[in-house]
C-alpha cells in the first residue's frame, strides 16, 4: 500500500507561511515592502507586545480597488510580475505574491484600502482569520492602505513557542525599520510600541542625513562617501574611517537595488576592503548601495527575499572590495572636511610662530645680548634645526624608548612614537606584496624539509588553499596522514617555527571558505608571514637603523601593522605644550 499522500491545502499554506514569516519582524518587513512598492512616502508601524499581539501598518501609497483587495490574500497573487522572464527584471521589492497569503494563513488579518482617486469615496474592508475570509465589504476610508495583523501564529502554537520576549521581538522590528529607512531616505517611517512613539525617521532627500539618523550620533560628520561603477554595477558607499568601529557586524549594511540583503560575498568584500585597518574583533561601519542590472542577479533565492545571488559573485566581490579599499586608503588630507583643514592651518600657524621664536632665540644667543626673558624663550624652543619645510619634513627619529619604540619628531613639532615591531611587520608585509606584484616571492629551499603535524581540520583548510599558500613562496607536499612537508619558504621569513606559523595560517584562512577571492587569502597569509619574522621589540636599533625603518614606513604610507594594530601614534604638539602648561 502506498504511503505517500498529497497534503491538504491548509497544511500546504502553513508550510509556505512558515518560510516567509518567522517572527513579527518578518511581517513588518513584508508590509513595508508592499507599502514602498505602492509608492508610499509616509509609513507608520504600530506594534503591540513586540508585534505578537498586533502589528498595524498604515501607508499613503496607491491603495487597491475592490477587485485587487479581494485577490491580494490569495497565494501567488501579485501585480508585480506576470511571467518567468520577469523574474530577471524585478525592480520592485515584492514579486512572489506570497506575503499577504502567508501572513493571512497564520493570523487574524484586517485590510482597509482605497485607491487615491478623488472620485472614489469608498474603499474596501477585508477581514480574514487563518486565511478564511470573514468579511468583505465596501467602507469609507482614507486613500492608501491600512493592514493589521493580529494574534500572529494563533493557529500554529509550535511557532509561538519560538518567539522571544516582547523586548527582543520589538528589537527585531526596529532593526527591520532601520534597514528599510536606510534604503529609502525619501520615505518617512515611524514606529510605536505599545502605544508609545519609539522611532521616527523624517523624510529627507539626503542619504547622508538619513544614515546619520539611523546609525546614531557618533557617526555624524564622520561618514566618507564614495561612488564607483563598472560593467552593470554602480556603487554608492559610506564608510567611517576615523577609527570608530563596532564589536559586531550590526552597522554593516548592503542594499541591492533598494533591497536590504544579508550577503556573505558583500560582507566579506567589505571586510577585505578594510583589511589591515581593523583590529581583531572590530567591525567597520559601512553602508553600501549597489545598483545592479536586474538581468545579472537572481532575487528569487530566499523566501523572505533576504538574499540575492549574483551571476558573477567573484566580480561583484572584487569590485566592492577594491572600491572600499580605495575609499579607506585615500589620504585623509584629501577627504577631511572644512573643520579639519582649519585645524591643520592653525597647527601650521603655531609652527611658524614657534619657528619665529627659535630664530629670535638663536639671534639672541648669537649676538650674546639676550635678556633673561628672551633666553627663557630660546631654551624652550624645541624645533628641528635646518630649514626643512614643516609640512613635508617627514619624521625625524630622536631615539629609542624601552628598546621597543622609536621616538620621533613629526610635522609641526608633533611627538611621534613608532612601535618598531609593528612597523617591521608592516614593512615585511609591503615587501612581500611588492615581490608578489613583480611576479614571484623570493624563495629559500630548506636543506632538511620540515614536517608539520596538523589536525584534520587544519590539513583540509591548508589543502583547500594550497594554491594561495604556494603563491606566497611556500612549497608544501602531503606526506600521508595529517602530515605536510614544507620544502621551501619565502626568504624573508628567516628562522621561525613553521609548525606555529602554519597553525596560524590555517586559523586565519579557515574563515574564507572556498569562494573565489584568492587575493584575500594570499594577503592574509602574507600578513601572518610578516608577523612571524623575528620579533624586533627588545632589539637595540642604531640611529641609522631607526632612520631607515622610519623612512621605509613613511614610504608605505601606512600607519598600522598588517593585523590592524597601530604602528604609529602621534601626540599633537599642542598636547605636549598643554602638559607643560604652555598652551
Ligand atoms: P507581492 O508583493 O510579492 O506582489 P504580496 O502578497 O505582498 O505579494 O501582495 C500581493 C499584492 O497586493 C501586491 O502585488 C500588490 O498589488 C497588493 N498590495 C499589497 N499591499 C499593498 C499596499 N500596501 N498598497 C497597495 N497594494 C498592495
Ligand atoms: Mg509583497
Amino acid at each position: 500500500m502506498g504511503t505517500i499522500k498529497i497534503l491538504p491545502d491548509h497544511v500546504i499554506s502553513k508550510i509556505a507561511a512558515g518560510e516567509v514569516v518567522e517572527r513579527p519582524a518578518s511581517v513588518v518587513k513584508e508590509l513595508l515592502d508592499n507599502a514602498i512598492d505602492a509608492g508610499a512616502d509616509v509609513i507608520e508601524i504600530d506594534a503591540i507586545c513586540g508585534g505578537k499581539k498586533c502589528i498595524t501598518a498604515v501607508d499613503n501609497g496607491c491603495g487597491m480597488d475592490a477587485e485587487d483587495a479581494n485577490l491580494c490574500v490569495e497565494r501567488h497573487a501579485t501585480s508585480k510580475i506576470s511571467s518567468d522572464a520577469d523574474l530577471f527584471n524585478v525592480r520592485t521589492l515584492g514579486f512572489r505574491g506570497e506575503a499577504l497569503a502567508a501572513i493571512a494563513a497564520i493570523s487574524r488579518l484586517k485590510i482597509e484600502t482605497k485607491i487615491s482617486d478623488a472620485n472614489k469615496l469608498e474603499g474596501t474592508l477585508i477581514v480574514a482569520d487563518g486565511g478564511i475570509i470573514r468579511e468583505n465589504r465596501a467602507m469609507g476610508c482614507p486613500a492608501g492602505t491600512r493592514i493589521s495583523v493580529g494574534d500572529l501564529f494563533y493557529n500554529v502554537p509550535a511557532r509561538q513557542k519560538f518567539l522571544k520576549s516582547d523586548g527582543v521581538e520589538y528589537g527585531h522590528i526596529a532593526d527591520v525599520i532601520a534597514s528599510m529607512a536606510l534604503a529609502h531616505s525619501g520615505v518617512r517611517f515611524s514606529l510605536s510600541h505599545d502605544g508609545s512613539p519609539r522611532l521616527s525617521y523624517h523624510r529627507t532627500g539626503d542619504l547622508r542625513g538619513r544614515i546619520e539618523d539611523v546609525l546614531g550620533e557618533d557617526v555624524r560628520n564622520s561618514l566618507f562617501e564614495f561612488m564607483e561603477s563598472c560593467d552593470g554595477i554602480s556603487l554608492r558607499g559610506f564608510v567611517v574611517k576615523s577609527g570608530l568601529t563596532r564589536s559586531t557586524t550590526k552597522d554593516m549594511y548592503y542594499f541591492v537595488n533598494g533591497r536590504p540583503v544579508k550577503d556573505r560575498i558583500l560582507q566579506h568584500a567589505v571586510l577585505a576592503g578594510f583589511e589591515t585597518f581593523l583590529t581583531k574583533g572590530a567591525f567597520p561601519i559601512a553602508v553600501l548601495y549597489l545598483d545592479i542590472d536586474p538581468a545579472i542577479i537572481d532575487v528569487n533565492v530566499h523566501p523572505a527575499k533576504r538574499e540575492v545571488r549574483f551571476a558573477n559573485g567573484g566580480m561583484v566581490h572584487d569590485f566592492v572590495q577594491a572600491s572600499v579599499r580605495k575609499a579607506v586608503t585615500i589620504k585623509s588630507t584629501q577627504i577631511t572636511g572644512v573643520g579639519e583643514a582649519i585645524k591643520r592651518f592653525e597647527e601650521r600657524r603655531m609652527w611658524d610662530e614657534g619657528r619665529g621664536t627659535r630664530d629670535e632665540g638663536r639671534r639672541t644667543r648669537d649676538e650674546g645680548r639676550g635678556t633673561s626673558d628672551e633666553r627663557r624663550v630660546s631654551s624652550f624652543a624645541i624645533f628641528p634645526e635646518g630649514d626643512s619645510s614643516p609640512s613635508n619634513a617627514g619624521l625625524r627619529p630622536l631615539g629609542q624608548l624601552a628598546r621597543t619604540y622609536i621616538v620621533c619628531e613629526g610635522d609641526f613639532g608633533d611627538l611621534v612614537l613608532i612601535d618598531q615591531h609593528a612597523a617591521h611587520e608592516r614593512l615585511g608585509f609591503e615587501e612581500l606584496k611588492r615581490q608578489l606584484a613583480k611576479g614571484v616571492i623570493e624563495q629559500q629551499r630548506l636543506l632538511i624539509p620540515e614536517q608539520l603535524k596538523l589536525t584534520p581540520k587544519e590539513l583540509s583548510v591548508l589543502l583547500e588553499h594550497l594554491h594561495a599558500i604556494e603563491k606566497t613562496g611556500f612549497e608544501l607536499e602531503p606526506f600521508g596522514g595529517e602530515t605536510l612537508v614544507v620544502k621551501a619558504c619565502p626568504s624573508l621569513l628567516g628562522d621561525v617555527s613553521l609548525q606555529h606559523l602554519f597553525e596560524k595560517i590555517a586559523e586565519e584562512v579557515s574563515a574564507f571558505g572556498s569562494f573565489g577571492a584568492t587575493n584575500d587569502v594570499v594577503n592574509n597569509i602574507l600578513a601572518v608571514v610578516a608577523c612571524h619574522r623575528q620579533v624586533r621589540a627588545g632589539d637595540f636599533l642604531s640611529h641609522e637603523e631607526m632612520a631607515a625603518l622610519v623612512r621605509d614606513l613613511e614610504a608605505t604610507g601606512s600607519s598600522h601593522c598588517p593585523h590592524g594594530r597601530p604602528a604609529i601614534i602621534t601626540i599633537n604638539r599642542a598636547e605636549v605644550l598643554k602638559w607643560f602648561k604652555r598652551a
Side-chain angles (χ1 to χ4, degrees):
M1 196 182 74
T3 52
I4 299 180
K5 284 191 241 29
I6 303 274
L7 291 170
D9 242 15
H10 68 274
V11 180
I12 295 178
S13 40
K14 275 191 189 163
I15 291 174
E19 286 193 324
V20 179
V21 185
E22 186 193 343
R23 57 178 3 131
S26 345
V27 171
V28 171
K29 176 177 171 294
E30 295 297 340
L31 299 181
L32 291 176
D33 277 6
N34 283 345
I36 286 167
D37 284 345
D41 63 3
V42 177
I43 307 175
E44 286 166 19
I45 303 284
D46 287 298
I48 307 287
C49 300
K52 293 184 261 182
K53 187 110 206 73
C54 189
I55 295 163
T56 306
V58 182
D59 72 60
N60 67 347
C62 65
M64 286 176 271
D65 63 14
E67 191 186 338
D68 280 352
N70 247 307
L71 268 179
C72 75
V73 288
E74 295 289 327
R75 289 183 60 204
H76 314 301
T78 179
S79 55
K80 297 168 196 173
I81 60 169
S82 51
S83 74
D84 59 350
D86 293 344
L87 278 175
F88 285 90
N89 192 22
V90 174
R91 278 283 174 190
T92 48
L93 296 172
F95 58 90
R96 299 167 59 99
E98 281 197 318
L100 286 182
I103 293 167
I106 49 171
S107 71
R108 303 184 205 280
L109 181 73
K110 184 168 153 194
I111 302 178
E112 294 154 75
T113 184
K114 185 173 94 73
I115 55 172
S116 42
D117 175 344
N119 302 321
K120 282 251 192 260
L121 291 176
E122 290 211 314
T124 307
L125 168 73
I126 307 272
V127 178
D129 285 342
I132 297 165
I133 301 211
R134 304 278 182 215
E135 229 183 311
N136 175 0
R137 62 178 167 84
M139 76 172 275
C141 62
T145 304
R146 174 193 184 91
I147 298 188
S148 329
V149 179
D151 298 334
L152 189 65
F153 297 131
Y154 80 96
N155 54 355
V156 200
R159 261 293 158 96
Q160 246 166 354
K161 273 193 240 138
F162 286 97
L163 296 182
K164 300 284 190 302
S165 69
D166 291 4
V168 169
E169 295 300 339
Y170 165 78
H172 286 289
I173 293 175
D175 286 348
V176 163
I177 294 187
S179 69
M180 280 307 243
L182 287 174
H184 301 275
S185 60
V187 178
R188 190 199 142 156
F189 294 87
S190 58
L191 167 65
S192 70
H193 189 218
D194 294 337
S196 34
R198 300 294 279 272
L199 286 181
S200 168
Y201 299 122
H202 293 283
R203 207 169 356 176
T204 153
D206 167 33
L207 198 47
R208 174 186 296 270
R210 174 57 64 85
I211 297 173
E212 289 172 347
D213 286 349
V214 174
L215 298 195
E217 227 11 74
D218 60 347
V219 307
R220 207 168 287 284
N221 301 326
S222 59
L223 289 168
F224 175 75
E225 179 176 358
F226 58 99
M227 291 208 208
E228 298 289 341
S229 60
C230 78
D231 315 332
I233 312 183
S234 57
L235 165 64
R236 182 172 179 195
F238 293 82
V239 290
V240 171
K241 18 196 260 176
S242 63
L244 178 70
T245 52
R246 305 289 192 225
S247 57
T248 66
T249 56
K250 78 179 177 69
D251 280 342
M252 297 174 72
Y253 289 94
Y254 323 102
F255 303 92
V256 175
N257 298 347
R259 185 190 303 283
V261 293
K262 300 245 177 279
D263 187 88
R264 273 185 46 209
I265 294 184
L266 295 177
Q267 169 105 341
H268 186 274
V270 174
L271 288 173
F274 270 86
E275 197 205 3
T276 56
F277 290 82
L278 293 168
T279 15
K280 267 242 147 63
F283 294 93
I285 299 170
V287 184
L288 263 51
Y289 299 90
L290 285 144
D291 205 40
I292 304 187
D293 178 351
I296 55 171
I297 49 174
D298 187 352
V299 287
N300 188 27
V301 288
H302 189 280
K305 301 161 290 178
R306 268 202 300 270
E307 291 169 13
V308 290
R309 188 177 297 140
F310 304 107
N312 186 349
M315 194 268 275
V316 175
H317 178 281
D318 293 350
F319 165 66
V320 170
Q321 177 188 350
S323 306
V324 169
R325 167 113 297 222
K326 187 170 146 199
V328 172
T329 45
I330 284 178
K331 274 268 184 322
S332 58
T333 46
Q334 286 170 261
I335 57 112
T336 44
V338 178
E340 194 60 22
I342 291 172
K343 201 172 124 218
R344 295 308 284 177
F345 177 78
E346 283 297 321
E347 279 169 5
R348 182 184 296 256
R349 197 174 54 77
M350 271 175 68
W351 201 95
D352 287 343
E353 273 172 19
R355 202 149 68 143
T357 309
R358 178 195 60 180
D359 289 342
E360 234 167 21
R362 190 190 282 150
R363 189 168 356 104
T364 307
R365 192 173 55 234
D366 289 347
E367 293 168 11
R369 51 176 176 80
T371 63
S372 65
D373 220 33
E374 278 165 336
R375 239 176 268 117
R376 183 182 62 75
V377 171
S378 77
S379 62
F380 115 80
I382 52 161
F383 300 101
E385 295 298 325
D387 57 1
S388 51
S389 145
S391 53
N392 61 10
L395 296 176
R396 197 170 68 93
L398 303 173
Q400 204 183 8
L401 179 69
R403 293 197 165 193
T404 304
Y405 307 99
I406 304 170
V407 182
C408 304
E409 175 176 1
D411 292 352
F412 315 113
D414 292 345
L415 171 62
V416 179
L417 298 176
I418 297 179
D419 177 329
Q420 65 193 49
H421 175 58
H424 193 242
E425 248 182 88
R426 167 53 74 179
L427 291 179
F429 182 64
E430 295 296 334
E431 171 60 21
L432 287 167
K433 285 222 295 205
R434 200 182 54 75
Q435 292 182 7
L436 187 67
K438 269 178 40 193
V440 277
I441 287 188
E442 286 166 29
Q443 205 180 42
Q444 182 192 354
R445 303 203 67 78
L446 301 182
L447 284 176
I448 308 159
E450 194 168 323
Q451 286 192 21
L452 308 175
K453 301 250 176 294
L454 304 160
T455 65
K457 177 157 180 260
E458 286 165 348
L459 182 72
S460 71
V461 168
L462 293 177
L463 290 178
E464 185 183 358
H465 294 291
L466 196 59
H467 177 64
I469 296 170
E470 297 208 319
K471 271 182 104 169
T472 67
F474 289 100
E475 196 181 314
L476 297 178
E477 218 173 75
F479 194 69
E482 262 88 58
T483 307
L484 278 180
V485 171
V486 187
K487 299 175 105 178
C489 295
S491 322
L492 189 130
L493 187 60
D495 190 16
V496 303
S497 156
L498 291 174
Q499 177 72 32
H500 284 153
L501 176 70
F502 274 92
E503 284 168 10
K504 188 75 194 150
I505 290 178
E507 184 190 323
E508 287 285 321
V509 300
S510 66
F512 283 84
S514 43
F515 58 83
T518 312
N519 276 349
D520 301 327
V521 181
V522 169
N523 270 345
N524 239 267
I525 298 169
L526 295 184
V528 178
V529 170
C531 179
H532 270 72
R533 300 159 71 207
Q534 269 115 335
V535 178
R536 297 264 302 244
D539 279 6
F540 172 78
L541 299 180
S542 71
H543 201 82
E544 286 67 36
E545 284 172 310
M546 282 190 274
L549 196 63
V550 168
R551 192 179 53 238
D552 292 350
L553 185 66
E554 275 192 298
T556 70
S558 184
S559 59
H560 286 72
C561 84
H563 290 103
R565 279 185 303 279
I568 303 187
I569 289 185
T570 301
I571 299 151
N572 200 286
R573 174 171 170 264
E575 186 65 23
V576 178
L577 291 189
K578 247 190 268 161
W579 297 344
F580 294 98
K581 310 256 181 272
R582 292 271 183 196

